[in-house]
Amino acid sequence: MTRDEIIFRVSEKVRLIRTEAGYTQDKMAEIIGVSKKTLVQIEKGRVEAGWSTVVTICALFRETETVRFLFGNEPLEVLEIIAREGIDYRKEKTMGGKIWWREVDKQNGLVLQQNMISQHFRIIDEDHFRIFSSFDEASSKERFSELVSEKNRGL
């Protein structure tokens, strides 16, 4: 998934997100920081939302079914991967990935998973803390191997 794909996907769902949240166009425009005219243009498909507007929508409406479905229940994680181009993260507690994730590999208490909707990868530890995320399969597998090796060496 790329920044442009995310912008497109969110832009085409703005009306649905707004109605699911129960807001008028005036209130939604105020909440996300755009003019009502701009919001109407986005909802009609005449323009796409800007990156900052997309990030705002995903952050503020991350609990809506529409946003959760767009990103496999992890909208902020997906946005963070795109914005930071897939980096190691501070440890962040996850739910363990029983619903939206498929296990790619598991070794020494580490699990490499792939999100079934967004297709991004992440590495979590035995306590379900996220260590790494990326859309790049090769770099995710490489980082997984590095982390497994570090655990083997007791680092």
Side-chain angles (χ1 to χ4, degrees), residues 5 21 28 36 45-46 62 91 103 126:
E5 290 170 334
M28 181 72 161
K36 180 182 176 183
R46 294 183 183 146
R62 67 186 172 275
K91 285 192 168 191
E103 190 175 292
E126 60 271 1

Side-chain angles (χ1 to χ4, degrees), residues 1-8 10-11 42 48-59 71 75-85 135:
M1 195 174 287
T2 66
R3 184 180 289 221
D4 289 340
E5 290 170 334
I6 289 171
I7 288 170
F8 175 77
V10 172
S11 293
I42 295 167
E48 289 184 343
W51 176 248
S52 58
T53 301
V54 167
V55 170
T56 300
I57 291 167
C58 291
F71 300 103
L76 299 183
E77 183 176 336
V78 171
L79 294 174
E80 195 170 19
I81 294 167
I82 295 297
R84 296 182 183 198
E85 299 177 353
F135 276 99

Side-chain angles (χ1 to χ4, degrees), residues 27-80:
K27 187 63 178 173
M28 181 72 161
E30 178 186 328
I31 290 169
I32 64 174
V34 299
S35 69
K36 180 182 176 183
K37 180 181 177 184
T38 300
L39 179 62
V40 169
Q41 296 290 341
I42 295 167
E43 286 189 357
K44 289 186 175 186
R46 294 183 183 146
V47 298
E48 289 184 343
W51 176 248
S52 58
T53 301
V54 167
V55 170
T56 300
I57 291 167
C58 291
L60 296 177
F61 298 95
R62 67 186 172 275
E63 297 301 321
T64 63
E65 285 184 38
T66 303
V67 172
R68 292 172 70 160
F69 185 75
L70 282 172
F71 300 103
N73 203 42
E74 301 289 343
L76 299 183
E77 183 176 336
V78 171
L79 294 174
E80 195 170 19

Side-chain angles (χ1 to χ4, degrees), residues 1 9 11 16 20 27 29 31 44 50 52-53 62 71 88 94 97-98 110 119 132-133 140 143:
M1 195 174 287
R9 291 175 80 183
S11 293
L16 185 58
E20 184 181 340
K27 187 63 178 173
I31 290 169
K44 289 186 175 186
S52 58
T53 301
R62 67 186 172 275
F71 300 103
D88 284 286
T94 71
K98 303 221 184 294
L110 297 174
Q119 299 298 302
F132 176 86
S133 294
S140 298
R143 186 65 181 132

